[in-house]
Amino acid sequence: MTLISDDGSSRTQESDVRPSPSLARVLNPSTIAVVGLSDKSPVAPFIQPTLDSDAEVFFVHPTAPTVLGRPTYRSIADIPEPIDAVLSVMSAERTVTLAEECATLDCGGLVIYAAGFSEVGADGEDLQRRLAAAAQRGGMAVIGPNSLGYISVPRSLNLTASADYRPPAGGVSIVSHSGAMIGGIAIAARARTGTGISRLISAGNEVTTDMADYVDFLASDPETAAVGLIVEGIRRPEEFLRAARRCIAAGKPIVALKLARNSRTQQMAASHTGALAGNAWAYDVAFRHAGIQLAHDLEELVDRLSLVGQLDPAKWNKVERLGVVAGTGGFASLAYDLAEAEGLVLPPLDDLADWVRSTIPGITVPNPLDTTGFGATFWTDIVDRYVGSPELDAVVFVNMWGEGDDSPMYRRLIDDVAVAARRFGKPVAIAAGAGPVGAYAEEVIGSDGSVALGYGLRGTLRGLHTMGTFVRDRETPRPPADVITPVPRPTGPLPDAGDGRSFLPFTQAMALLDRFGIPTAPHCTVDTGEQVEPGFAGPYAVKLADVPHRTELGAVALDVGRDDLERAVADMRAIAQQHGLPETVAIQPMTAARGELLVGIEGRSELGPMVVLGIGGILVEVLERVGGRPAPLTRTDAVALIDEFRDLRLMHGYRGSDPWHLAQLADLLVGFGHLAAACHGWIESLDVNPLLVTEDGLVAVDALCIVRDTEGIR
């Protein structure tokens, strides 16, 4: 994929990225200096577990002879060896002074709790600039400031101001812009049987080290099997997406929770593309396109990562056909409904229907299977048939056990599932109907990744969906997008949209579409004093050319005959004079259409330009549905975007009607993507609504292109 950099030049994303050596030193330290901590400090109990790690820990304090039972140094310069990670438990000003001293020593970097930097205004911004300068001089990574630090669970490294919630050790690593969220993740992981945490990192203000750096580090981290992100904003989108691709290529799924979301319903109230596509929407689109899956709360984030953190990656598959075996009809029915809601398919398993009918009285539906009270009698056979079925990619066993259950029957049920999972080598999950499974299950499954323990039915299904989606995404070919040459911003004054923003005149907007292969309807413009000679047959559509919202002014006349054309042009000019608007009039032939599309560009996204697609006209507001892709698009991207609307049965054909020229639409979306990338330095938004669906093809009859006042990306 190609993005447009801040200087307007195109840059490919194919170059590799290597983790920062200084960040690796901070996150995998052999030596640690804790500066400013005393035994009375409220965070001392949180840091104390670090003394049980394999790192050598030094304490620096100007007056206390010991801290946590260890002797202290008066200055960090007095420590007789290089320090990989320096943890500051001091105020912002003292921390900056410490950083400036560390820049003269051999230090990997700092972990900084203190607030009072850029988030508080001018004084804090000056401190943050000094901190960044010191880090650059010393080649140091900085976690924070305004951070809760980090925890490495397997190594017992607690360089954190977060309480020690003691999550189990495992392969899931979390990076969060919100510091308090790492505590929430630890609590959620501790409650979920089988979920293990590797690292919890609070990014804070990201003065030198940002989300892109952390993801890049985790891509190569042998202790990390899956990555969760809690995101407020991405500072360097190109580097972040490149790091995410490295992580995914290394076999590590990424799930992200985007904070600070706007209401999609409010966005849909406006017909303008820029209002339709808010930043939260753009993050969803860009993340999905990059193979990053989405969660909407902390519990869902942990659920989606839990199973991939437990199952052997060699056993992962697409989970296109899921089997569910439940102990009661209620949970069997609920499993089907939840699986459908999570996008998982339960095939009917017709080959097992006769066996099920003859084995379990009264049961005729093989999948999901209600084993009833007879299930225990035939349990081993049931497990073997379902786990061994070639029609199933994965199997969930639910509602045969509870957290406190340790009966011989319970143990036998678990034992049979574990044996079958190891023999047949496909993903198998065990879930209680709600909450965690019993402790015996943890003993039986071992650590070979054959069986995963879910948390409740929905959480388990979410975890399987994450695994299947990850495998499908990795196996989907993603050809690189074209290299895009930037197009300069038009010179000269531009019309005012009435809200302080400028827009391209009608003729320039239509010419821009033509330049990128987007067909436009025939048109001509008539200025004051010019004769009305359209050069094409009517009836005509007549409108003020350079007015952003014509309909509100009544500045559009339709089905105008040749004899009435001059009068219609005069009426448009009168409206322009009444409102002090440009008097240029556009004339087009009326175009018969059987459908309308909205295609547009959102140029204000923090993650780069986006192409937006939806059903056009008033339906975009009625349906509250738009899709999109980051620009530029490949044809594969365009086809996938179109397919997202198949369920609406409009553009794909309905009641015997023909599809809406979908091959041409894919080509046009590629053209829009090229336009968006080429003009990213100056297009704020572009709205083609409607793109008419005619018998002969797709055609744009108008375009509203809002232009930034200055060059560059804001």
mmCIF file with all atom_site columns, all heavy atoms in Angstrom, residues 263-287:
data_model
loop_
_atom_site.group_PDB
_atom_site.id
_atom_site.type_symbol
_atom_site.label_atom_id
_atom_site.label_alt_id
_atom_site.label_comp_id
_atom_site.label_asym_id
_atom_site.label_entity_id
_atom_site.label_seq_id
_atom_site.pdbx_PDB_ins_code
_atom_site.Cartn_x
_atom_site.Cartn_y
_atom_site.Cartn_z
_atom_site.occupancy
_atom_site.B_iso_or_equiv
_atom_site.pdbx_formal_charge
_atom_site.auth_seq_id
_atom_site.auth_comp_id
_atom_site.auth_asym_id
_atom_site.auth_atom_id
_atom_site.pdbx_PDB_model_num
ATOM 1   N N   . SER A 1 263 ? -20.716 9.272  17.667 1.00 0.00 ? 263 SER A N   1
ATOM 2   C CA  . SER A 1 263 ? -21.943 8.564  17.325 1.00 0.00 ? 263 SER A CA  1
ATOM 3   C C   . SER A 1 263 ? -22.109 8.472  15.822 1.00 0.00 ? 263 SER A C   1
ATOM 4   O O   . SER A 1 263 ? -22.186 9.472  15.121 1.00 0.00 ? 263 SER A O   1
ATOM 5   C CB  . SER A 1 263 ? -23.151 9.291  17.919 1.00 0.00 ? 263 SER A CB  1
ATOM 6   O OG  . SER A 1 263 ? -24.342 8.775  17.385 1.00 0.00 ? 263 SER A OG  1
ATOM 7   N N   . ARG A 1 264 ? -22.162 7.254  15.319 1.00 0.00 ? 264 ARG A N   1
ATOM 8   C CA  . ARG A 1 264 ? -22.402 7.065  13.891 1.00 0.00 ? 264 ARG A CA  1
ATOM 9   C C   . ARG A 1 264 ? -23.777 7.609  13.500 1.00 0.00 ? 264 ARG A C   1
ATOM 10  O O   . ARG A 1 264 ? -23.961 8.141  12.414 1.00 0.00 ? 264 ARG A O   1
ATOM 11  C CB  . ARG A 1 264 ? -22.326 5.573  13.534 1.00 0.00 ? 264 ARG A CB  1
ATOM 12  C CG  . ARG A 1 264 ? -20.936 5.004  13.505 1.00 0.00 ? 264 ARG A CG  1
ATOM 13  C CD  . ARG A 1 264 ? -20.157 5.491  12.302 1.00 0.00 ? 264 ARG A CD  1
ATOM 14  N NE  . ARG A 1 264 ? -20.801 5.156  11.052 1.00 0.00 ? 264 ARG A NE  1
ATOM 15  C CZ  . ARG A 1 264 ? -20.703 3.972  10.449 1.00 0.00 ? 264 ARG A CZ  1
ATOM 16  N NH1 . ARG A 1 264 ? -19.993 3.014  11.003 1.00 0.00 ? 264 ARG A NH1 1
ATOM 17  N NH2 . ARG A 1 264 ? -21.304 3.750  9.309  1.00 0.00 ? 264 ARG A NH2 1
ATOM 18  N N   . THR A 1 265 ? -24.751 7.492  14.389 1.00 0.00 ? 265 THR A N   1
ATOM 19  C CA  . THR A 1 265 ? -26.090 7.965  14.062 1.00 0.00 ? 265 THR A CA  1
ATOM 20  C C   . THR A 1 265 ? -26.087 9.460  13.808 1.00 0.00 ? 265 THR A C   1
ATOM 21  O O   . THR A 1 265 ? -26.709 9.944  12.864 1.00 0.00 ? 265 THR A O   1
ATOM 22  C CB  . THR A 1 265 ? -27.066 7.634  15.201 1.00 0.00 ? 265 THR A CB  1
ATOM 23  O OG1 . THR A 1 265 ? -27.037 6.225  15.432 1.00 0.00 ? 265 THR A OG1 1
ATOM 24  C CG2 . THR A 1 265 ? -28.475 8.044  14.841 1.00 0.00 ? 265 THR A CG2 1
ATOM 25  N N   . GLN A 1 266 ? -25.358 10.216 14.622 1.00 0.00 ? 266 GLN A N   1
ATOM 26  C CA  . GLN A 1 266 ? -25.271 11.652 14.402 1.00 0.00 ? 266 GLN A CA  1
ATOM 27  C C   . GLN A 1 266 ? -24.538 11.955 13.109 1.00 0.00 ? 266 GLN A C   1
ATOM 28  O O   . GLN A 1 266 ? -24.905 12.877 12.374 1.00 0.00 ? 266 GLN A O   1
ATOM 29  C CB  . GLN A 1 266 ? -24.556 12.312 15.582 1.00 0.00 ? 266 GLN A CB  1
ATOM 30  C CG  . GLN A 1 266 ? -25.356 12.256 16.869 1.00 0.00 ? 266 GLN A CG  1
ATOM 31  C CD  . GLN A 1 266 ? -24.587 12.825 18.040 1.00 0.00 ? 266 GLN A CD  1
ATOM 32  O OE1 . GLN A 1 266 ? -23.437 13.232 17.906 1.00 0.00 ? 266 GLN A OE1 1
ATOM 33  N NE2 . GLN A 1 266 ? -25.209 12.848 19.199 1.00 0.00 ? 266 GLN A NE2 1
ATOM 34  N N   . GLN A 1 267 ? -23.518 11.173 12.789 1.00 0.00 ? 267 GLN A N   1
ATOM 35  C CA  . GLN A 1 267 ? -22.771 11.407 11.556 1.00 0.00 ? 267 GLN A CA  1
ATOM 36  C C   . GLN A 1 267 ? -23.673 11.206 10.346 1.00 0.00 ? 267 GLN A C   1
ATOM 37  O O   . GLN A 1 267 ? -23.559 11.913 9.347  1.00 0.00 ? 267 GLN A O   1
ATOM 38  C CB  . GLN A 1 267 ? -21.574 10.459 11.477 1.00 0.00 ? 267 GLN A CB  1
ATOM 39  C CG  . GLN A 1 267 ? -20.512 10.722 12.532 1.00 0.00 ? 267 GLN A CG  1
ATOM 40  C CD  . GLN A 1 267 ? -19.543 9.568  12.651 1.00 0.00 ? 267 GLN A CD  1
ATOM 41  O OE1 . GLN A 1 267 ? -19.546 8.675  11.828 1.00 0.00 ? 267 GLN A OE1 1
ATOM 42  N NE2 . GLN A 1 267 ? -18.730 9.573  13.678 1.00 0.00 ? 267 GLN A NE2 1
ATOM 43  N N   . MET A 1 268 ? -24.555 10.215 10.425 1.00 0.00 ? 268 MET A N   1
ATOM 44  C CA  . MET A 1 268 ? -25.390 9.895  9.285  1.00 0.00 ? 268 MET A CA  1
ATOM 45  C C   . MET A 1 268 ? -26.459 10.950 9.034  1.00 0.00 ? 268 MET A C   1
ATOM 46  O O   . MET A 1 268 ? -27.101 10.933 7.992  1.00 0.00 ? 268 MET A O   1
ATOM 47  C CB  . MET A 1 268 ? -26.073 8.538  9.496  1.00 0.00 ? 268 MET A CB  1
ATOM 48  C CG  . MET A 1 268 ? -25.114 7.382  9.515  1.00 0.00 ? 268 MET A CG  1
ATOM 49  S SD  . MET A 1 268 ? -24.250 7.227  7.961  1.00 0.00 ? 268 MET A SD  1
ATOM 50  C CE  . MET A 1 268 ? -23.075 5.974  8.397  1.00 0.00 ? 268 MET A CE  1
ATOM 51  N N   . ALA A 1 269 ? -26.667 11.846 9.970  1.00 0.00 ? 269 ALA A N   1
ATOM 52  C CA  . ALA A 1 269 ? -27.705 12.843 9.790  1.00 0.00 ? 269 ALA A CA  1
ATOM 53  C C   . ALA A 1 269 ? -27.359 13.836 8.692  1.00 0.00 ? 269 ALA A C   1
ATOM 54  O O   . ALA A 1 269 ? -28.230 14.532 8.179  1.00 0.00 ? 269 ALA A O   1
ATOM 55  C CB  . ALA A 1 269 ? -27.960 13.588 11.095 1.00 0.00 ? 269 ALA A CB  1
ATOM 56  N N   . ALA A 1 270 ? -26.091 13.923 8.333  1.00 0.00 ? 270 ALA A N   1
ATOM 57  C CA  . ALA A 1 270 ? -25.677 14.849 7.288  1.00 0.00 ? 270 ALA A CA  1
ATOM 58  C C   . ALA A 1 270 ? -25.433 14.097 5.993  1.00 0.00 ? 270 ALA A C   1
ATOM 59  O O   . ALA A 1 270 ? -25.046 12.944 5.992  1.00 0.00 ? 270 ALA A O   1
ATOM 60  C CB  . ALA A 1 270 ? -24.402 15.580 7.717  1.00 0.00 ? 270 ALA A CB  1
ATOM 61  N N   . SER A 1 271 ? -25.657 14.774 4.885  1.00 0.00 ? 271 SER A N   1
ATOM 62  C CA  . SER A 1 271 ? -25.479 14.110 3.590  1.00 0.00 ? 271 SER A CA  1
ATOM 63  C C   . SER A 1 271 ? -24.069 14.276 3.059  1.00 0.00 ? 271 SER A C   1
ATOM 64  O O   . SER A 1 271 ? -23.722 13.689 2.042  1.00 0.00 ? 271 SER A O   1
ATOM 65  C CB  . SER A 1 271 ? -26.465 14.690 2.574  1.00 0.00 ? 271 SER A CB  1
ATOM 66  O OG  . SER A 1 271 ? -26.228 16.068 2.387  1.00 0.00 ? 271 SER A OG  1
ATOM 67  N N   . HIS A 1 272 ? -23.284 15.088 3.712  1.00 0.00 ? 272 HIS A N   1
ATOM 68  C CA  . HIS A 1 272 ? -21.932 15.399 3.250  1.00 0.00 ? 272 HIS A CA  1
ATOM 69  C C   . HIS A 1 272 ? -20.984 14.271 3.629  1.00 0.00 ? 272 HIS A C   1
ATOM 70  O O   . HIS A 1 272 ? -20.989 13.791 4.753  1.00 0.00 ? 272 HIS A O   1
ATOM 71  C CB  . HIS A 1 272 ? -21.506 16.716 3.909  1.00 0.00 ? 272 HIS A CB  1
ATOM 72  C CG  . HIS A 1 272 ? -20.201 17.266 3.438  1.00 0.00 ? 272 HIS A CG  1
ATOM 73  N ND1 . HIS A 1 272 ? -19.007 16.650 3.688  1.00 0.00 ? 272 HIS A ND1 1
ATOM 74  C CD2 . HIS A 1 272 ? -19.915 18.385 2.743  1.00 0.00 ? 272 HIS A CD2 1
ATOM 75  C CE1 . HIS A 1 272 ? -18.025 17.381 3.172  1.00 0.00 ? 272 HIS A CE1 1
ATOM 76  N NE2 . HIS A 1 272 ? -18.564 18.431 2.596  1.00 0.00 ? 272 HIS A NE2 1
ATOM 77  N N   . THR A 1 273 ? -20.144 13.844 2.706  1.00 0.00 ? 273 THR A N   1
ATOM 78  C CA  . THR A 1 273 ? -19.238 12.718 2.966  1.00 0.00 ? 273 THR A CA  1
ATOM 79  C C   . THR A 1 273 ? -18.382 12.963 4.200  1.00 0.00 ? 273 THR A C   1
ATOM 80  O O   . THR A 1 273 ? -18.159 12.069 5.006  1.00 0.00 ? 273 THR A O   1
ATOM 81  C CB  . THR A 1 273 ? -18.317 12.482 1.753  1.00 0.00 ? 273 THR A CB  1
ATOM 82  O OG1 . THR A 1 273 ? -19.137 12.205 0.633  1.00 0.00 ? 273 THR A OG1 1
ATOM 83  C CG2 . THR A 1 273 ? -17.387 11.316 1.994  1.00 0.00 ? 273 THR A CG2 1
ATOM 84  N N   . GLY A 1 274 ? -17.863 14.172 4.358  1.00 0.00 ? 274 GLY A N   1
ATOM 85  C CA  . GLY A 1 274 ? -16.991 14.464 5.484  1.00 0.00 ? 274 GLY A CA  1
ATOM 86  C C   . GLY A 1 274 ? -17.684 14.266 6.815  1.00 0.00 ? 274 GLY A C   1
ATOM 87  O O   . GLY A 1 274 ? -17.066 13.908 7.806  1.00 0.00 ? 274 GLY A O   1
ATOM 88  N N   . ALA A 1 275 ? -18.995 14.504 6.868  1.00 0.00 ? 275 ALA A N   1
ATOM 89  C CA  . ALA A 1 275 ? -19.724 14.284 8.104  1.00 0.00 ? 275 ALA A CA  1
ATOM 90  C C   . ALA A 1 275 ? -20.041 12.812 8.308  1.00 0.00 ? 275 ALA A C   1
ATOM 91  O O   . ALA A 1 275 ? -20.162 12.338 9.423  1.00 0.00 ? 275 ALA A O   1
ATOM 92  C CB  . ALA A 1 275 ? -21.018 15.094 8.093  1.00 0.00 ? 275 ALA A CB  1
ATOM 93  N N   . LEU A 1 276 ? -20.187 12.087 7.203  1.00 0.00 ? 276 LEU A N   1
ATOM 94  C CA  . LEU A 1 276 ? -20.488 10.660 7.313  1.00 0.00 ? 276 LEU A CA  1
ATOM 95  C C   . LEU A 1 276 ? -19.339 9.899  7.932  1.00 0.00 ? 276 LEU A C   1
ATOM 96  O O   . LEU A 1 276 ? -19.531 8.960  8.689  1.00 0.00 ? 276 LEU A O   1
ATOM 97  C CB  . LEU A 1 276 ? -20.761 10.074 5.925  1.00 0.00 ? 276 LEU A CB  1
ATOM 98  C CG  . LEU A 1 276 ? -22.103 10.428 5.291  1.00 0.00 ? 276 LEU A CG  1
ATOM 99  C CD1 . LEU A 1 276 ? -22.092 9.992  3.840  1.00 0.00 ? 276 LEU A CD1 1
ATOM 100 C CD2 . LEU A 1 276 ? -23.219 9.721  6.031  1.00 0.00 ? 276 LEU A CD2 1
ATOM 101 N N   . ALA A 1 277 ? -18.125 10.259 7.578  1.00 0.00 ? 277 ALA A N   1
ATOM 102 C CA  . ALA A 1 277 ? -16.966 9.452  7.942  1.00 0.00 ? 277 ALA A CA  1
ATOM 103 C C   . ALA A 1 277 ? -16.174 10.144 9.038  1.00 0.00 ? 277 ALA A C   1
ATOM 104 O O   . ALA A 1 277 ? -15.297 10.940 8.772  1.00 0.00 ? 277 ALA A O   1
ATOM 105 C CB  . ALA A 1 277 ? -16.088 9.221  6.718  1.00 0.00 ? 277 ALA A CB  1
ATOM 106 N N   . GLY A 1 278 ? -16.527 9.884  10.290 1.00 0.00 ? 278 GLY A N   1
ATOM 107 C CA  . GLY A 1 278 ? -15.788 10.440 11.398 1.00 0.00 ? 278 GLY A CA  1
ATOM 108 C C   . GLY A 1 278 ? -14.514 9.664  11.646 1.00 0.00 ? 278 GLY A C   1
ATOM 109 O O   . GLY A 1 278 ? -14.252 8.636  11.033 1.00 0.00 ? 278 GLY A O   1
ATOM 110 N N   . ASN A 1 279 ? -13.706 10.152 12.583 1.00 0.00 ? 279 ASN A N   1
ATOM 111 C CA  . ASN A 1 279 ? -12.422 9.499  12.811 1.00 0.00 ? 279 ASN A CA  1
ATOM 112 C C   . ASN A 1 279 ? -12.570 8.091  13.363 1.00 0.00 ? 279 ASN A C   1
ATOM 113 O O   . ASN A 1 279 ? -11.785 7.217  13.034 1.00 0.00 ? 279 ASN A O   1
ATOM 114 C CB  . ASN A 1 279 ? -11.582 10.362 13.754 1.00 0.00 ? 279 ASN A CB  1
ATOM 115 C CG  . ASN A 1 279 ? -10.500 11.117 13.000 1.00 0.00 ? 279 ASN A CG  1
ATOM 116 O OD1 . ASN A 1 279 ? -9.923  10.608 12.046 1.00 0.00 ? 279 ASN A OD1 1
ATOM 117 N ND2 . ASN A 1 279 ? -10.246 12.345 13.418 1.00 0.00 ? 279 ASN A ND2 1
ATOM 118 N N   . ALA A 1 280 ? -13.572 7.854  14.223 1.00 0.00 ? 280 ALA A N   1
ATOM 119 C CA  . ALA A 1 280 ? -13.753 6.494  14.735 1.00 0.00 ? 280 ALA A CA  1
ATOM 120 C C   . ALA A 1 280 ? -14.080 5.540  13.593 1.00 0.00 ? 280 ALA A C   1
ATOM 121 O O   . ALA A 1 280 ? -13.566 4.413  13.538 1.00 0.00 ? 280 ALA A O   1
ATOM 122 C CB  . ALA A 1 280 ? -14.860 6.468  15.787 1.00 0.00 ? 280 ALA A CB  1
ATOM 123 N N   . TRP A 1 281 ? -14.917 5.976  12.688 1.00 0.00 ? 281 TRP A N   1
ATOM 124 C CA  . TRP A 1 281 ? -15.246 5.167  11.500 1.00 0.00 ? 281 TRP A CA  1
ATOM 125 C C   . TRP A 1 281 ? -13.983 4.909  10.691 1.00 0.00 ? 281 TRP A C   1
ATOM 126 O O   . TRP A 1 281 ? -13.743 3.796  10.223 1.00 0.00 ? 281 TRP A O   1
ATOM 127 C CB  . TRP A 1 281 ? -16.285 5.911  10.664 1.00 0.00 ? 281 TRP A CB  1
ATOM 128 C CG  . TRP A 1 281 ? -16.639 5.256  9.366  1.00 0.00 ? 281 TRP A CG  1
ATOM 129 C CD1 . TRP A 1 281 ? -17.618 4.340  9.151  1.00 0.00 ? 281 TRP A CD1 1
ATOM 130 C CD2 . TRP A 1 281 ? -16.016 5.482  8.103  1.00 0.00 ? 281 TRP A CD2 1
ATOM 131 N NE1 . TRP A 1 281 ? -17.645 3.973  7.834  1.00 0.00 ? 281 TRP A NE1 1
ATOM 132 C CE2 . TRP A 1 281 ? -16.671 4.660  7.159  1.00 0.00 ? 281 TRP A CE2 1
ATOM 133 C CE3 . TRP A 1 281 ? -14.970 6.295  7.663  1.00 0.00 ? 281 TRP A CE3 1
ATOM 134 C CZ2 . TRP A 1 281 ? -16.322 4.628  5.811  1.00 0.00 ? 281 TRP A CZ2 1
ATOM 135 C CZ3 . TRP A 1 281 ? -14.619 6.264  6.319  1.00 0.00 ? 281 TRP A CZ3 1
ATOM 136 C CH2 . TRP A 1 281 ? -15.290 5.442  5.420  1.00 0.00 ? 281 TRP A CH2 1
ATOM 137 N N   . ALA A 1 282 ? -13.167 5.930  10.503 1.00 0.00 ? 282 ALA A N   1
ATOM 138 C CA  . ALA A 1 282 ? -11.940 5.774  9.721  1.00 0.00 ? 282 ALA A CA  1
ATOM 139 C C   . ALA A 1 282 ? -10.988 4.785  10.381 1.00 0.00 ? 282 ALA A C   1
ATOM 140 O O   . ALA A 1 282 ? -10.334 3.989  9.694  1.00 0.00 ? 282 ALA A O   1
ATOM 141 C CB  . ALA A 1 282 ? -11.259 7.135  9.536  1.00 0.00 ? 282 ALA A CB  1
ATOM 142 N N   . TYR A 1 283 ? -10.905 4.814  11.696 1.00 0.00 ? 283 TYR A N   1
ATOM 143 C CA  . TYR A 1 283 ? -10.069 3.837  12.396 1.00 0.00 ? 283 TYR A CA  1
ATOM 144 C C   . TYR A 1 283 ? -10.593 2.429  12.169 1.00 0.00 ? 283 TYR A C   1
ATOM 145 O O   . TYR A 1 283 ? -9.821  1.492  11.926 1.00 0.00 ? 283 TYR A O   1
ATOM 146 C CB  . TYR A 1 283 ? -10.031 4.147  13.897 1.00 0.00 ? 283 TYR A CB  1
ATOM 147 C CG  . TYR A 1 283 ? -8.933  5.104  14.287 1.00 0.00 ? 283 TYR A CG  1
ATOM 148 C CD1 . TYR A 1 283 ? -9.123  6.482  14.229 1.00 0.00 ? 283 TYR A CD1 1
ATOM 149 C CD2 . TYR A 1 283 ? -7.691  4.642  14.697 1.00 0.00 ? 283 TYR A CD2 1
ATOM 150 C CE1 . TYR A 1 283 ? -8.120  7.367  14.578 1.00 0.00 ? 283 TYR A CE1 1
ATOM 151 C CE2 . TYR A 1 283 ? -6.676  5.513  15.059 1.00 0.00 ? 283 TYR A CE2 1
ATOM 152 C CZ  . TYR A 1 283 ? -6.899  6.881  14.987 1.00 0.00 ? 283 TYR A CZ  1
ATOM 153 O OH  . TYR A 1 283 ? -5.884  7.747  15.323 1.00 0.00 ? 283 TYR A OH  1
ATOM 154 N N   . ASP A 1 284 ? -11.913 2.249  12.267 1.00 0.00 ? 284 ASP A N   1
ATOM 155 C CA  . ASP A 1 284 ? -12.489 0.927  12.025 1.00 0.00 ? 284 ASP A CA  1
ATOM 156 C C   . ASP A 1 284 ? -12.108 0.426  10.631 1.00 0.00 ? 284 ASP A C   1
ATOM 157 O O   . ASP A 1 284 ? -11.692 -0.723 10.459 1.00 0.00 ? 284 ASP A O   1
ATOM 158 C CB  . ASP A 1 284 ? -14.010 0.978  12.147 1.00 0.00 ? 284 ASP A CB  1
ATOM 159 C CG  . ASP A 1 284 ? -14.482 1.196  13.576 1.00 0.00 ? 284 ASP A CG  1
ATOM 160 O OD1 . ASP A 1 284 ? -13.634 1.157  14.487 1.00 0.00 ? 284 ASP A OD1 1
ATOM 161 O OD2 . ASP A 1 284 ? -15.689 1.409  13.771 1.00 0.00 ? 284 ASP A OD2 1
ATOM 162 N N   . VAL A 1 285 ? -12.266 1.295  9.637  1.00 0.00 ? 285 VAL A N   1
ATOM 163 C CA  . VAL A 1 285 ? -11.989 0.917  8.248  1.00 0.00 ? 285 VAL A CA  1
ATOM 164 C C   . VAL A 1 285 ? -10.511 0.579  8.067  1.00 0.00 ? 285 VAL A C   1
ATOM 165 O O   . VAL A 1 285 ? -10.150 -0.463 7.504  1.00 0.00 ? 285 VAL A O   1
ATOM 166 C CB  . VAL A 1 285 ? -12.410 2.050  7.298  1.00 0.00 ? 285 VAL A CB  1
ATOM 167 C CG1 . VAL A 1 285 ? -11.859 1.812  5.889  1.00 0.00 ? 285 VAL A CG1 1
ATOM 168 C CG2 . VAL A 1 285 ? -13.928 2.171  7.249  1.00 0.00 ? 285 VAL A CG2 1
ATOM 169 N N   . ALA A 1 286 ? -9.640  1.460  8.539  1.00 0.00 ? 286 ALA A N   1
ATOM 170 C CA  . ALA A 1 286 ? -8.200  1.252  8.336  1.00 0.00 ? 286 ALA A CA  1
ATOM 171 C C   . ALA A 1 286 ? -7.703  0.035  9.106  1.00 0.00 ? 286 ALA A C   1
ATOM 172 O O   . ALA A 1 286 ? -6.865  -0.730 8.605  1.00 0.00 ? 286 ALA A O   1
ATOM 173 C CB  . ALA A 1 286 ? -7.434  2.504  8.763  1.00 0.00 ? 286 ALA A CB  1
ATOM 174 N N   . PHE A 1 287 ? -8.202  -0.154 10.320 1.00 0.00 ? 287 PHE A N   1
ATOM 175 C CA  . PHE A 1 287 ? -7.774  -1.310 11.105 1.00 0.00 ? 287 PHE A CA  1
ATOM 176 C C   . PHE A 1 287 ? -8.205  -2.605 10.441 1.00 0.00 ? 287 PHE A C   1
ATOM 177 O O   . PHE A 1 287 ? -7.414  -3.547 10.303 1.00 0.00 ? 287 PHE A O   1
ATOM 178 C CB  . PHE A 1 287 ? -8.349  -1.227 12.521 1.00 0.00 ? 287 PHE A CB  1
ATOM 179 C CG  . PHE A 1 287 ? -7.600  -0.276 13.436 1.00 0.00 ? 287 PHE A CG  1
ATOM 180 C CD1 . PHE A 1 287 ? -6.517  0.463  12.965 1.00 0.00 ? 287 PHE A CD1 1
ATOM 181 C CD2 . PHE A 1 287 ? -7.976  -0.126 14.754 1.00 0.00 ? 287 PHE A CD2 1
ATOM 182 C CE1 . PHE A 1 287 ? -5.828  1.327  13.801 1.00 0.00 ? 287 PHE A CE1 1
ATOM 183 C CE2 . PHE A 1 287 ? -7.290  0.733  15.601 1.00 0.00 ? 287 PHE A CE2 1
ATOM 184 C CZ  . PHE A 1 287 ? -6.215  1.463  15.124 1.00 0.00 ? 287 PHE A CZ  1
#
